[in-house]
Amino acid sequence: MNTITLDVSSRQKTELIDITPEVQQRVAGAGFDNGICMVYVPHTTAAVTINESADPAVARDIIMVLNQIVPWKAGYRHMEGNSPAHVKAGLVGESVHVAVNSGDLQLGTWQGIFFCEFDGPRSRRVRLHLING
Amino acid sequence: MNTITLDVSSRQKTELIDITPEVQQRVAGAGFDNGICMVYVPHTTAAVTINESADPAVARDIIMVLNQIVPWKAGYRHMEGNSPAHVKAGLVGESVHVAVNSGDLQLGTWQGIFFCEFDGPRSRRVRLHLING
Amino acid sequence: MNTITLDVSSRQKTELIDITPEVQQRVAGAGFDNGICMVYVPHTTAAVTINESADPAVARDIIMVLNQIVPWKAGYRHMEGNSPAHVKAGLVGESVHVAVNSGDLQLGTWQGIFFCEFDGPRSRRVRLHLING
């Protein structure tokens, strides 16, 4: 199984970053033809999700609701002050899986892959595991 | 990797549709014996989840709580008016993965696979990717 | 595809149990060298997630927020009284996927795998599906 590591730099505390072009480029560059591209985030205050990439307002609306659901202050016991980021990461999830056919990610028309920063800004990593079908 | 596309028609704005029988039928019909059946929704206002299929009240309770968590009106910036559907899709997720053994989905006793419509009614598609183990 | 079943005993109503050491031990014990370890929960009132394992306060904070998001009483229609557990299971998800390299789970530095009990205490099962890469 081929594994590729991407570097992602976030610039804000909470931010969704569209990584679709780089994922597509790396999958094609690896000569991976058919199978599953698993996108994995090895952090506990960040996540990855698939949603609409055409209108950036969708990503902002997702962040807005997540901030409403998971309050910044709520009697958290974890002393580092980033418990909300851990909870958001748990709700969104640490991996997505996209089929690849003839080297192309088989995303839906409006779908893009977003790295979700919940405790930035930071230098982060994303791993692509290319699983033969 | 074999990929099968299902057509799903939703009839309500928000609706969980049990697609387990059709998924099982298509997996068996494809002669897929052992591995993983990945169920993938290529939409951004719909999702897929696994939960109890015996009592339809469970699906209705999931919808009720999702509607409470993600308000219909909340200063959303996405102008198409379906931001709540995008957020719900992000929380629930676009794929589930079920093992297949001797052609049978290895679901737990009470588990079923539900297509989640959050912006219906619409004609939708679900993709099954059959990954050899 | 090799499948391994773990037994997990929960002791509380709602509880996150770090199963990383047992998952690692079973993967290595099976002689599984490279690929994906899919961790699957065949229940509908339990789930599995990846989050910080170093400080147990993180797991407690996740439970606290989930209990705030999904109220214990809310006009649920499912008559068994455990609808909140079904909803939480739907939000968190029934599977996680971790790469394995030379027999080692490729988790991030702070990541651990947690079985999530939402309707305990109970005897539960977790399945590991070892998918060759």
Side-chain angles (χ1 to χ4, degrees):
Chain A
M1 186 179 66
N2 193 354
T3 295
I4 296 164
T5 301
L6 311 185
D7 294 310
V8 178
S9 294
S10 61
R11 292 161 183 268
Q12 300 176 35
K13 180 77 175 173
T14 308
E15 185 181 7
L16 266 59
I17 300 171
D18 186 352
I19 60 172
T20 315
E22 191 168 1
V23 174
Q24 173 60 67
Q25 186 182 4
R26 293 301 194 89
V27 166
F32 185 64
D33 212 43
N34 284 285
I36 301 292
C37 173
M38 170 174 155
V39 183
Y40 184 84
V41 170
H43 306 286
T44 57
T45 55
V48 61
T49 194
I50 290 176
N51 218 305
E52 183 181 322
S53 57
D55 179 4
V58 170
R60 289 198 297 266
D61 287 343
I62 291 170
I63 290 171
M64 183 185 70
V65 175
L66 283 174
N67 284 340
Q68 290 171 352
I69 293 174
V70 186
W72 291 105
K73 304 205 171 185
Y76 296 113
R77 303 194 202 184
H78 180 50
M79 297 307 287
E80 292 179 37
N82 59 359
S83 270
H86 287 290
V87 177
K88 289 169 189 167
L91 288 174
V92 174
E94 73 295 327
S95 72
V96 297
H97 307 70
V98 182
V100 175
N101 192 5
S102 303
D104 290 328
L105 292 170
Q106 300 297 294
L107 290 162
T109 310
W110 304 103
Q111 289 182 322
I113 304 168
F114 291 87
F115 176 82
C116 305
E117 174 63 78
F118 295 126
D119 193 29
R122 290 211 206 183
S123 294
R124 299 288 204 172
R125 263 173 282 176
V126 174
R127 294 184 195 143
L128 310 181
H129 301 296
L130 307 181
I131 306 158
N132 295 299
Chain B
M1 187 178 68
N2 193 354
T3 295
I4 296 163
T5 302
L6 309 186
D7 294 311
V8 178
S9 295
S10 61
R11 291 162 183 268
Q12 300 175 35
K13 180 76 174 174
T14 308
E15 185 181 7
L16 266 60
I17 301 171
D18 186 351
I19 59 172
T20 315
E22 191 169 359
V23 174
Q24 173 60 66
Q25 187 182 4
R26 293 302 195 88
V27 166
F32 185 65
D33 211 43
N34 283 285
I36 300 292
C37 173
M38 170 174 154
V39 183
Y40 184 84
V41 170
H43 306 286
T44 57
T45 54
V48 60
T49 195
I50 290 176
N51 218 305
E52 182 180 323
S53 57
D55 179 4
V58 170
R60 289 198 298 266
D61 287 342
I62 292 170
I63 291 170
M64 183 185 71
V65 175
L66 283 174
N67 284 339
Q68 290 171 351
I69 294 175
V70 185
W72 290 105
K73 305 206 169 184
Y76 295 113
R77 303 194 200 182
H78 181 50
M79 298 307 287
E80 291 179 37
N82 59 359
S83 270
H86 286 291
V87 177
K88 288 169 189 167
L91 288 175
V92 174
E94 73 296 327
S95 72
V96 296
H97 307 71
V98 182
V100 175
N101 191 5
S102 302
D104 289 327
L105 293 170
Q106 300 297 294
L107 291 162
T109 310
W110 304 104
Q111 289 183 321
I113 303 168
F114 291 87
F115 175 82
C116 305
E117 175 62 78
F118 295 126
D119 193 28
R122 292 210 205 183
S123 293
R124 299 288 204 171
R125 262 172 285 175
V126 174
R127 295 185 196 143
L128 310 182
H129 301 297
L130 307 181
I131 306 158
N132 295 300
Chain C
M1 188 177 67
N2 193 354
T3 295
I4 296 163
T5 302
L6 310 185
D7 294 310
V8 178
S9 294
S10 61
R11 292 162 183 268
Q12 300 175 35
K13 180 76 173 174
T14 308
E15 185 180 9
L16 266 60
I17 300 171
D18 186 352
I19 60 172
T20 315
E22 191 169 2
V23 174
Q24 174 61 66
Q25 186 182 6
R26 293 301 194 90
V27 166
F32 185 65
D33 211 43
N34 284 285
I36 301 292
C37 173
M38 170 174 156
V39 183
Y40 184 84
V41 170
H43 306 286
T44 57
T45 54
V48 61
T49 194
I50 290 176
N51 218 305
E52 183 180 322
S53 57
D55 179 4
V58 170
R60 290 198 297 266
D61 287 342
I62 292 169
I63 290 171
M64 182 185 71
V65 176
L66 284 173
N67 284 339
Q68 290 171 351
I69 294 174
V70 185
W72 291 105
K73 303 206 171 184
Y76 296 113
R77 303 195 202 183
H78 180 50
M79 297 307 287
E80 291 179 38
N82 59 359
S83 270
H86 286 291
V87 177
K88 289 169 188 167
L91 289 175
V92 174
E94 73 296 327
S95 72
V96 296
H97 306 71
V98 182
V100 175
N101 192 6
S102 302
D104 289 327
L105 293 170
Q106 300 298 293
L107 291 163
T109 310
W110 304 104
Q111 289 182 322
I113 304 168
F114 290 87
F115 175 82
C116 305
E117 175 63 77
F118 295 127
D119 193 29
R122 291 211 206 183
S123 293
R124 300 289 205 171
R125 261 173 285 175
V126 174
R127 295 184 194 143
L128 309 181
H129 301 295
L130 307 181
I131 306 158
N132 295 300

